[in-house]
Amino acid sequence: MLHSKSRWQSPEADPEVVRNLAQSLSVSPLLSSLLVKRGMNTPDKALLFMEGGDGEGHDPFLLKGMAEAVPRIRKALQDDEHILVYGDYDADGVSSTALMIYLLRYLGASFDIYIPHRANEGYGLHNHALDWAKQQGVSLIITVDTGISAYHQIAYANELGMDVIVTDHHEPPELLPEAYALINPKLPDCPYPFKGLAGVGVAYKLAQALLGDKVPVEWHEIAAIGTVADLMPLLDENRSIVRKGLSSMRNSPFPGIRALLGVSGIPMETVSAVNIAFGMAPRINASGRLDHAGRAVTLLTTENRDEAEELAGELDLLNKERQLVVERIVTEAAAMLELQIQQDKLPDIIVLAQQGWNVGVVGIVASKLLERYYRPVIILDIHPETGMCKGSARSIPGLDIYEALSSCADLMDHFGGHPAAAGMSLHQDRLKEFAAALNDYAAKVLTPEHFLPVTDADEEAAIADLSLQAALELDKLAPFGMANPVPKFIVRGAAVKETRKMGQDGKHLKLVLQQGGHTIEVVAFGKGGLAELLPGGTLIDILAELSVNEWNGSRKPQLMLQDLAVPKPQLFDLRGAADAVKQAAQLHELLKPYSGAKPLRTAAVFQNSRLSPMGALQGMSLWVYDEDAGISPVRHHPADSEDAQVSLLCLLDMPETPEQLDALLAAFPQADNIALLHSIRDGRDRLQMPTRDHFKVLYKSIAALATAPVPEHELLRRLTRQSSMGMRMLAKMLDVFEELEFIDRSRGTIMFVTQPSAKSLTASQHFVRLGKTAEMEQYFMESSRSELQEWMLSRRLDVSRVG
């Protein structure tokens, strides 16, 4: 039994509305249902969503502050003033800065740019940068993707005699800066109808206000990158921006974008919003995370192909370095958190800080820990000399992290962001107070339900519905991103037909699922370890995205696995494992994400004679087989209560007797899964089902060899030479003969009894027990997984009835 990582929920749609829309648009019921569930429930709405209009969205002068900003910029151009574009170091800030460079080049302006260094300066405007700008002769500053919270810095700029036009999209604070113009659709009194613009989107609207219909169409490419990278909703005007940007990008005139697509391995002719999010954006962001974002700005604005290819290669290398840095910090942060959990409990908001955690990647680390623990997470780097902490936060849907930070604003030097993500700086002396204040706030806002992850699916579908035509039709809903995600489908009760690992070191998983007469391939990246847990015939439920797999000119539908569940208990057939202890530890870690709402409880059972060290089995309760009690505990994990249900039962060794097996099943009656990790005995070492012929042959052999007392070990040695049976089997048969008084067994010797009383083999308890033990061993050693699973289930039922 594997529990899904999250609870899947799929909205209902009115069947009549779905049917009517499908008929009106001549589309499949599946696509019609998806449109209805996304709010496109009329033909007009659906057509506009799928095809879009030719217009440029809303009038840029509806943005508050635009009417003041445009004349001020025109005056600066007329008077040949020197302008400073002040940007940010993330992909949205880089895109915004690049777009302003193209705009000011187009207008023939005199300008400089400034982007702060993430690690050395941090987010936002800085007075030393304003001093530098003044020295350069700047009289007008235009901020992009920053500035809405820079109250004191803009006041300082005003003192220096420089005007500031703020273009931003972050949440406005209560105290707004006294800039020459503030342009932000989220300002409370801004009448602009769409609030979801990225920073680059606001910059684009400024370009529109200045140029009207003369804005070059290729600038949409720059705007699309920042919009997708900053996780803005791909609805309304953003949808038009990204669609036009992708269309232009397929034949991009920008050397930098062409080179970036190349190093990202993205074919230009099929570039999508998903490619921007997972291919282009991480490389642009790597520049600001590990170096300086100016390198990425240069890449997006260069006109030289050779320079573009060199810069794209550098960003690709930086991104690989960034991945290694993230992996290291995630490991360190998780270890620090686990130590905290052992001493206390998992906090509602996780706050972790350490020296040497690159401030450029702490947001990514926070995201990864959020995925693992499903709690809001704040990760901070501590400066070794000043003690100042700079960090990033990521939150779950139930908690607005910006509001949470606002509740303890007095503890920070600076903060800003969105409901789902934010940044902050504070001194390490305030860390404990900061964490406590945030958790006090969370205790008032969050309920236990908030900590149960929920994944929104679009549709419950049968494999028959997920055809090639359906996959091709989904493109009508693109571009996909925030607020318009790639559709997710739930398929229940599909049978695993084939399972295999793929990729380097078997890192990835490929399944073939069957439902009725229909099959489909499923690919799961990073899930190769599950291959042995999903043998043929396993019935599973999956959550997946539908795509088209193109190979050697052929196309077929393919599912990309997001999550899975196996509703029924499983028997993991890992018999003959080279290292049972190591395999059990790996299995424990592998199943952790699939243990459901409760922590994974694992028990390992083994023979007392096992010599291998058990140190790798941390977090498990340990049990040994016992001749008298069946099994006995060796170590309980501290987290296990008396009635804690074991989810995974690992048999490092098989039981030696039916009594031990029954005791095992009685001790763990509700185990979700049982893993068989025992060694496989050689044929001669195995017990055989006893027959009268076996005993008849043995009787004659003993009669010939033991007319006088013979040492038992010597007799067994001779018997094994004459028989196909091994020493274990022969020794147990001697037990039967002794019980029936066919032999005399004393002082380590055996002698044949010449005239024993006539007795039936079935009168011997040892004979009956040998039969049961041999049957058990035959199942454990020789039967198929399905046969063994059925037999174990019947034994479990028998034990439960007796209990």
Side-chain angles (χ1 to χ4, degrees), residues 640-657:
D640 291 338
S641 61
E642 288 296 323
D643 58 351
Q645 179 179 325
V646 167
S647 307
L648 172 63
L649 177 60
C650 294
L651 306 192
L652 307 185
D653 301 306
M654 66 167 282
E656 291 290 346
T657 66

Side-chain angles (χ1 to χ4, degrees), residues 308-552:
E309 290 182 352
E310 182 179 348
L311 287 168
E314 291 173 1
L315 293 194
D316 190 48
L317 289 174
L318 279 175
N319 189 52
K320 289 183 172 66
E321 181 183 346
R322 186 270 306 168
Q323 291 170 333
L324 293 175
V325 172
V326 167
E327 187 177 341
R328 173 183 64 82
I329 300 175
V330 166
T331 301
E332 294 174 359
M336 183 185 297
L337 180 59
E338 289 294 336
L339 189 60
Q340 288 184 18
I341 295 171
Q342 288 178 16
Q343 298 169 351
D344 197 353
K345 65 173 185 175
L346 184 64
D348 290 347
I349 298 180
I350 297 167
V351 180
L352 300 170
Q354 180 88 295
Q355 287 186 19
W357 286 357
N358 189 308
V359 70
V361 302
V362 290
I364 301 174
V365 174
S367 294
K368 289 186 177 292
L369 289 182
L370 183 150
E371 183 180 349
R372 185 179 299 184
Y373 295 96
Y374 204 68
R375 293 287 193 277
V377 180
I378 297 176
I379 302 293
L380 304 110
D381 171 61
I382 305 174
H383 193 283
E385 296 175 4
T386 65
M388 286 301 298
C389 304
K390 292 180 182 177
S392 288
R394 298 293 184 269
S395 193
I396 60 177
L399 184 121
D400 184 327
I401 196 65
Y402 182 81
E403 290 297 326
L405 292 171
S406 299
S407 72
C408 56
D410 57 314
L411 298 175
M412 295 172 286
D413 289 33
H414 175 83
F415 76 99
H418 308 289
M424 76 295 298
S425 61
L426 68 156
H427 196 272
Q428 66 176 344
D429 292 344
R430 293 193 155 185
L431 277 174
K432 285 187 179 180
E433 190 179 357
F434 175 63
L438 285 172
N439 276 280
D440 286 345
Y441 176 87
K444 300 171 186 174
V445 174
L446 295 172
T447 65
E449 287 72 27
H450 286 122
F451 297 127
L452 297 175
V454 175
T455 299
D456 291 321
D458 294 82
E459 195 86 14
E460 293 219 14
I463 289 178
D465 299 326
L466 304 176
S467 63
L468 176 61
Q469 185 58 39
L472 294 171
E473 216 176 21
L474 292 184
D475 281 343
K476 295 181 178 181
L477 300 178
F480 297 114
M482 292 299 290
N484 183 45
V486 176
K488 292 182 175 63
F489 299 97
I490 300 170
V491 179
R492 298 191 188 276
V496 175
K497 188 178 180 183
E498 296 177 26
T499 305
R500 67 180 177 89
K501 296 180 180 181
M502 58 181 196
Q504 187 176 9
D505 300 323
K507 186 177 182 181
H508 310 302
L509 176 68
K510 190 169 191 176
L511 302 172
V512 176
L513 298 186
Q514 184 168 17
Q515 200 176 52
H518 300 274
T519 61
I520 195 167
E521 290 185 352
V522 182
V523 173
F525 291 111
K527 300 289 192 300
L530 293 176
E532 292 174 321
L533 311 186
L534 298 171
T538 304
L539 293 179
I540 68 173
D541 301 335
I542 64 167
L543 177 73
E545 297 173 355
L546 179 63
S547 63
V548 177
N549 180 25
E550 298 194 29
W551 180 253
N552 285 340

Side-chain angles (χ1 to χ4, degrees), residues 15-341:
E16 186 174 352
V17 175
V18 171
R19 187 166 49 252
N20 291 339
L21 187 64
Q23 292 173 353
S24 298
L25 300 179
S26 297
V27 298
S28 69
L30 183 66
L31 180 60
S32 178
S33 178
L34 294 173
L35 285 164
V36 170
K37 290 177 180 180
R38 295 185 184 212
M40 315 304 154
N41 52 6
T42 67
D44 289 344
K45 286 181 181 179
L47 283 173
L48 183 63
F49 184 78
M50 291 190 292
E51 298 174 3
D54 295 329
E56 287 292 352
H58 310 294
D59 182 351
F61 286 97
L62 290 175
L63 282 161
K64 185 178 185 233
M66 191 67 80
E68 292 76 27
V70 169
R72 179 65 186 86
I73 294 172
R74 293 197 188 283
K75 179 179 182 301
L77 295 169
Q78 182 179 340
D79 296 346
D80 200 26
E81 294 181 55
H82 196 49
I83 301 171
L84 178 69
V85 178
Y86 197 112
D88 186 28
Y89 38 66
D90 68 1
D92 188 16
V94 165
S95 302
S96 305
T97 304
L99 186 61
M100 289 303 298
I101 289 174
Y102 281 113
L103 174 62
L104 294 177
R105 281 180 186 172
Y106 187 96
L107 294 171
S110 169
F111 69 94
D112 266 321
I113 68 166
Y114 191 94
I115 296 179
H117 191 284
R118 185 191 289 259
N120 298 338
E121 296 172 276
Y123 177 81
L125 273 69
H126 300 282
N127 286 353
H128 66 265
L130 300 175
D131 289 333
W132 172 84
K134 183 65 177 177
Q135 292 170 5
Q136 303 305 308
V138 169
S139 55
L140 174 63
I141 299 173
I142 303 174
T143 74
V144 286
D145 195 34
T146 190
I148 198 65
S149 299
Y151 179 87
H152 297 291
Q153 292 82 1
I154 290 176
Y156 184 64
N158 292 337
E159 290 176 14
L160 295 177
M162 295 183 290
D163 291 334
V164 181
I165 294 172
V166 171
T167 74
D168 201 354
H169 74 128
H170 293 93
E171 296 292 333
E174 289 186 13
L175 187 62
L176 294 170
E178 296 178 1
Y180 189 92
L182 293 177
I183 305 174
N184 184 334
K186 292 179 181 174
L187 287 169
D189 53 351
C190 179
Y192 199 73
F194 181 55
K195 307 299 182 182
L197 289 171
V200 72
V202 180
Y204 182 82
K205 299 310 291 186
L206 178 59
Q208 234 183 0
L210 285 161
L211 301 183
D213 58 5
K214 296 180 181 178
V215 177
V217 69
E218 60 267 24
W219 290 7
H220 285 98
E221 297 180 40
I222 308 296
I225 291 172
T227 300
V228 172
D230 217 40
L231 304 180
M232 292 298 102
L234 294 193
L235 302 173
D236 201 281
E237 194 165 12
N238 286 345
R239 192 166 175 78
S240 172
I241 288 172
V242 174
R243 180 183 277 125
K244 291 176 180 178
L246 291 170
S247 177
S248 176
M249 206 177 284
R250 287 168 189 141
N251 192 28
S252 178
F254 297 119
I257 288 181
R258 297 176 76 94
L260 192 57
L261 288 169
V263 298
S264 303
I266 301 168
M268 286 184 64
E269 61 274 11
T270 59
V271 63
S272 67
V274 174
N275 294 145
I276 292 177
F278 295 101
M280 300 174 75
R283 288 167 172 81
I284 293 173
N285 276 322
S287 178
R289 294 185 191 283
L290 299 186
D291 186 43
H292 192 280
R295 194 184 306 200
V297 172
T298 303
L299 172 66
L300 293 183
T301 56
T302 184
E303 298 175 353
N304 184 290
R305 177 180 172 181
D306 292 339
E307 182 184 30
E309 290 182 352
E310 182 179 348
L311 287 168
E314 291 173 1
L315 293 194
D316 190 48
L317 289 174
L318 279 175
N319 189 52
K320 289 183 172 66
E321 181 183 346
R322 186 270 306 168
Q323 291 170 333
L324 293 175
V325 172
V326 167
E327 187 177 341
R328 173 183 64 82
I329 300 175
V330 166
T331 301
E332 294 174 359
M336 183 185 297
L337 180 59
E338 289 294 336
L339 189 60
Q340 288 184 18
I341 295 171

